[in-house]
Amino acid sequence: MESTWEKPKELLEKDKSTEKEKEKEEAEKMEVDEKDIKKEEHKEVEEVHKEEKDMDKSKPIQSKAVPGTPWCVVWTGDERVFFFNASTRASLWEKPDDLKGRADVDKMVQEKPWKGKGEETEPMVMKKKLDDFGFDDEPKAKKKKEEKMSESADPEKEAAIEAEVKAARERAIVPLDIRMKQFKDMLYERGVSAFSTWDKELHKIVFDPRYLLLNPKERKQVFDRYVKQRAEEERKEKHSKLKEKKEEFRSLLEDAKLTSRTTFSEFAGKHGKESRYKAIDKMREREGLFNEFMLQVRKKEKEEGRSRQDKVCLLFASGMGNGS
């Protein structure tokens, strides 16, 4: 019987053979796993593409305003129609009550505006244009979240993004002239001054939802037109108010029963607390109106004095005649 401290050569060769077999099995197993992973990834990609394709069909591709109403008819990629109200921002699949019975609306719903311009290419062009604005929702459809909200997200930033996305959808389907009118109405309602600058007035309007209805270039265009028109209106309003204040001040002068000897200081001391007196802001203007009125008073007193003198002369002459 033979014994040794070292492993025999036969056993060493057997161990090497066993290790090679294990390595081969592991390599084959890894190859199978990689193939399975690739299949799963390919399947997931196909599902995503299919989902995106289905979503694309439901997106709006064109809109048309209904004359005389705030409503728009909107067509989707799968040739369905819904109605969007630019004023209330409501979206309906059913025809709203104020559009029922209108033959022109029925005709508008039946027609496909892009037909006749290349049925395959035109909707794709319109769809791309609307996609650029980010409009991807159907009426009252629940919006799918594309990203998970992180715990450290900024609420103000998220609110701003949400507002911009909502406005982008409206820009995609609401005609430009309607959006410009709503933006102009906002400028009036917010009291934007016609004699100020865009930067100074921005804080009055930037948080209004209608601010996002236009892109930066369109906002500046509407603001410039508003300033020009509003400046003329404010000048007319200022002139009208000043004229009204002057008439009230003159009525005070007439009610004061002034004589040619009355001074402005006496008039101001007696009537200075009245609202008609205070309606004229500057003392110089008050005194100027007073002096103009006093010219009329003095002229009237002279005419009345001459009239009395003439009457006295007539009476004297008639008395002399009777005495003779």
Side-chain angles (χ1 to χ4, degrees):
M1 181 178 278
E2 184 180 356
S3 60
T4 179
W5 287 106
E6 297 179 358
K7 185 178 286 189
K9 186 178 180 180
E10 293 83 358
L11 293 177
L12 290 172
E13 291 178 354
K14 187 177 180 180
D15 291 342
K16 288 181 180 180
S17 177
T18 304
E19 289 178 1
K20 286 181 179 180
E21 289 179 359
K22 286 183 178 180
E23 288 177 357
K24 186 177 180 181
E25 289 178 0
E26 289 178 358
E28 290 176 352
K29 187 177 179 181
M30 288 178 65
E31 187 177 352
V32 172
D33 291 341
E34 287 179 0
K35 288 181 179 179
D36 292 340
I37 291 172
K38 287 181 179 180
K39 286 181 180 180
E40 290 294 329
E41 290 178 350
H42 183 69
K43 187 177 179 181
E44 290 179 0
V45 170
E46 286 182 346
E47 289 178 355
V48 170
H49 287 168
K50 184 179 179 181
E51 185 178 352
E52 289 178 352
K53 189 175 180 181
D54 293 339
M55 288 177 66
D56 286 344
K57 289 182 179 179
S58 67
K59 288 183 179 181
I61 59 173
Q62 194 158 345
S63 66
K64 191 173 183 180
V66 178
T69 74
W71 290 96
C72 299
V73 179
V74 184
W75 288 267
T76 62
D78 51 4
E79 297 189 4
R80 291 191 295 171
V81 177
F82 66 90
F83 302 87
F84 179 79
N85 190 308
S87 299
T88 63
R89 295 162 174 75
S91 300
L92 302 173
W93 285 115
E94 299 293 332
K95 188 185 297 182
D97 294 337
D98 46 347
L99 296 184
K100 291 180 179 179
R102 287 189 53 165
D104 59 331
V105 176
D106 295 336
K107 183 178 179 181
M108 194 182 299
V109 170
Q110 296 300 324
E111 69 182 7
K112 297 172 183 177
W114 60 86
K115 295 295 183 181
K117 302 179 182 178
E119 293 188 11
E120 295 181 359
T121 58
E122 185 66 15
M124 296 297 293
V125 173
M126 291 303 300
K127 176 181 170 300
K128 185 178 184 304
K129 182 179 178 183
L130 292 169
D131 285 348
D132 290 341
F133 288 107
F135 191 97
D136 59 359
D137 279 355
E138 297 177 354
K140 298 183 179 179
K142 188 176 181 180
K143 184 180 179 181
K144 295 181 179 180
K145 293 184 178 179
E146 297 180 356
E147 298 179 355
K148 292 183 178 180
M149 300 281 288
S150 62
E151 294 181 359
S152 60
D154 186 353
E156 293 184 1
K157 186 177 180 180
E158 291 167 5
I161 293 173
E162 184 179 352
E164 178 60 37
V165 171
K166 184 178 179 182
R169 296 173 193 150
E170 293 190 28
R171 291 199 296 267
I173 61 175
V174 180
L176 180 60
D177 57 338
I178 294 178
R179 288 187 280 119
M180 282 187 164
K181 183 181 182 303
Q182 291 178 343
F183 190 88
K184 187 177 179 181
D185 291 342
M186 176 194 65
L187 296 178
Y188 274 103
E189 293 173 14
R190 295 291 178 178
V192 173
S193 173
F195 301 98
S196 186
T197 63
W198 170 262
D199 293 334
K200 290 182 179 179
E201 298 296 304
L202 188 60
H203 70 281
K204 296 180 181 179
I205 59 177
V206 70
F207 296 110
D208 192 297
R210 291 169 290 182
Y211 175 81
L212 298 172
L213 289 175
L214 302 177
N215 61 41
K217 184 178 179 181
E218 292 167 347
R219 292 172 196 151
K220 196 65 172 62
Q221 289 176 348
V222 176
F223 177 80
D224 290 342
R225 294 176 195 167
Y226 166 84
V227 166
K228 185 176 180 181
Q229 181 181 348
R230 187 58 186 154
E232 183 63 26
E233 291 175 354
E234 287 188 12
R235 278 192 287 268
K236 290 180 179 179
E237 290 174 1
K238 187 176 181 181
H239 179 75
S240 178
K241 288 180 180 178
L242 181 59
K243 185 178 179 181
E244 185 178 333
K245 290 178 179 180
K246 286 181 177 180
E247 290 175 354
E248 291 178 355
F249 191 84
R250 289 191 184 99
S251 69
L252 174 63
L253 292 170
E254 291 174 355
D255 294 342
K257 297 180 179 179
L258 305 176
T259 66
S260 58
R261 296 181 180 180
T262 305
T263 63
F264 177 72
S265 298
E266 293 173 346
F267 169 75
K270 187 175 181 180
H271 301 281
K273 294 183 180 180
E274 294 194 29
S275 59
R276 290 179 292 177
Y277 180 89
K278 294 179 180 179
I280 304 298
D281 297 327
K282 296 181 179 180
M283 185 66 73
R284 185 184 299 177
E285 291 182 12
R286 295 170 186 159
E287 190 170 0
L289 291 171
F290 175 84
N291 292 334
E292 288 179 7
F293 185 79
M294 292 305 295
L295 289 174
Q296 297 176 3
V297 171
R298 295 187 184 100
K299 183 179 179 181
K300 185 178 180 180
E301 286 186 356
K302 285 182 179 180
E303 290 176 352
E304 290 177 350
R306 289 173 184 170
S307 178
R308 285 195 297 270
Q309 188 175 3
D310 292 341
K311 286 181 180 179
V312 170
C313 290
L314 287 172
L315 289 172
F316 182 77
S318 61
M320 291 290 291
N322 292 333
S324 61

